[in-house]
Amino acid sequence: MVLVPTNINSNKFKTLTPFDLCEWNVIKNDWNNTMEIETGVTPNQGLVFIKDKKDLIAIYNKGLYETAVSDTSDKIIALTLFRSFPNEVGKYTSDMGKMQRKIETEYAIDFCSAQIQESEILKNCLAFKTNILSFTTQKKHSGELGKNSSLFKLTGNAVISAIKSNIKTRCGKQLNIIRLYDVDGGSSGSIEFLKPLKKAYLLDLKNDIIKEIEIINGKLNYDIPSKKIITIGFTI
């Protein structure tokens, strides 16, 4: 188990779940009289962070999908490295199937100001988990890349969860798809691609067309309600 003392003055923390950032209480309710003993373990999909009015400490991790925060003054974040169950461990000479003979884990600790947007913490986590930290260009640039040097430009606090190409919808249209979601209590902004867009559509989670989206000066404007996901299909 990895133990990280944070000394953050807070009784709540957050973890990443498949579709949202969930907030948890450090002090667990006592349900001993009605159900099994509380283990204190909380699920996470690669991100756990705790913050107070001044500081935020986040841990990005790969494969360490259990976490807990101690109810002590130093608020220790614990990550489970390995949990052993009966019949899962054997000798190297054994022919047991499904036995893990080597375990590798990675994690990173990020120290931030409490003023940072949670969407930025999530983007940092996804970059760490996917190893996509930056894109290499063919020649050197100084300053910000222009729109003709990037795949697309995204403004606002939305987080990209998926990009797919040549998806066939049930109505027969062949579309490229970008999926965005919000973690900051509502997000709005625009997407501008390297090449001009011909058509754009708002889709449901089954990639069926809901309505056509207006393209304004080559940009798609989006407005995502709090804790929601939107899917945009487009042709170039």
Side-chain angles (χ1 to χ4, degrees):
M1 180 172 287
V2 176
L3 302 176
V4 181
T6 67
N7 295 303
I8 295 291
N9 183 22
S10 176
N11 289 320
K12 295 183 181 295
F13 66 100
K14 289 189 176 183
T15 67
L16 176 64
T17 60
F19 294 105
D20 198 4
L21 285 172
C22 289
E23 186 174 68
W24 309 88
N25 293 320
V26 173
I27 302 175
K28 306 299 184 183
N29 294 327
D30 185 1
W31 298 103
N32 291 345
N33 294 328
T34 57
M35 58 188 297
E36 65 183 20
I37 297 175
E38 172 65 61
T39 64
V41 173
T42 302
N44 85 92
Q45 293 289 316
L47 169 63
V48 54
F49 67 88
I50 185 170
K51 69 176 182 178
D52 54 23
K53 294 181 179 180
K54 183 180 179 181
D55 299 306
L56 181 151
I57 294 180
I59 302 180
Y60 315 132
N61 57 89
K62 301 178 184 180
L64 309 178
Y65 293 152
E66 285 185 349
T67 189
V69 177
S70 68
D71 179 21
T72 56
S73 60
D74 49 3
K75 295 297 188 299
I76 298 173
I77 296 178
L79 295 176
T80 300
L81 288 176
F82 175 65
R83 173 176 281 191
S84 178
F85 295 92
N87 303 322
E88 282 197 359
V89 178
K91 298 179 180 179
Y92 276 103
T93 57
S94 170
D95 58 358
M96 294 170 60
K98 302 181 181 179
M99 185 182 72
Q100 295 287 338
R101 306 209 176 179
K102 183 178 181 181
I103 297 176
E104 293 183 359
T105 58
E106 294 182 53
Y107 62 91
I109 305 173
D110 198 359
F111 301 90
C112 307
S113 164
Q115 307 308 313
I116 190 173
Q117 293 280 353
E118 291 184 358
S119 58
E120 290 301 312
I121 293 293
L122 182 53
K123 291 173 185 176
N124 292 342
C125 168
L126 297 176
F128 175 79
K129 290 174 63 178
T130 59
N131 291 325
I132 302 176
L133 302 179
S134 62
F135 291 94
T136 302
T137 55
Q138 294 180 350
K139 57 184 179 180
K140 294 182 179 180
H141 298 271
S142 60
E144 184 179 355
L145 290 176
K147 66 179 182 179
N148 292 329
S149 304
S150 303
L151 178 62
F152 61 86
K153 180 179 180 181
L154 176 69
T155 65
N157 294 328
V159 177
I160 298 172
S161 65
I163 300 176
K164 300 180 180 180
S165 61
N166 296 322
I167 301 299
K168 188 174 183 180
T169 63
R170 287 194 286 187
C171 68
K173 291 185 180 294
Q174 202 86 8
L175 299 175
N176 304 300
I177 287 175
I178 185 168
R179 187 161 290 151
L180 310 172
Y181 67 102
D182 165 78
V183 295
D184 284 332
S187 300
S188 59
S190 65
I191 311 171
E192 184 178 5
F193 289 83
L194 170 61
K195 295 183 178 180
L197 301 182
K198 295 179 180 178
K199 291 283 186 179
Y201 305 90
L202 180 65
L203 310 179
D204 61 21
L205 290 179
K206 294 182 179 180
N207 297 332
D208 291 329
I209 294 174
I210 299 175
K211 65 178 182 180
E212 187 171 344
I213 301 175
E214 184 180 6
I215 302 171
I216 303 175
N217 297 324
K219 298 180 180 180
L220 295 178
N221 295 321
Y222 69 83
D223 189 8
I224 310 176
S226 177
K227 307 297 183 181
K228 297 294 183 180
I229 300 172
I230 65 167
T231 305
I232 296 174
F234 58 93
T235 58
I236 297 178

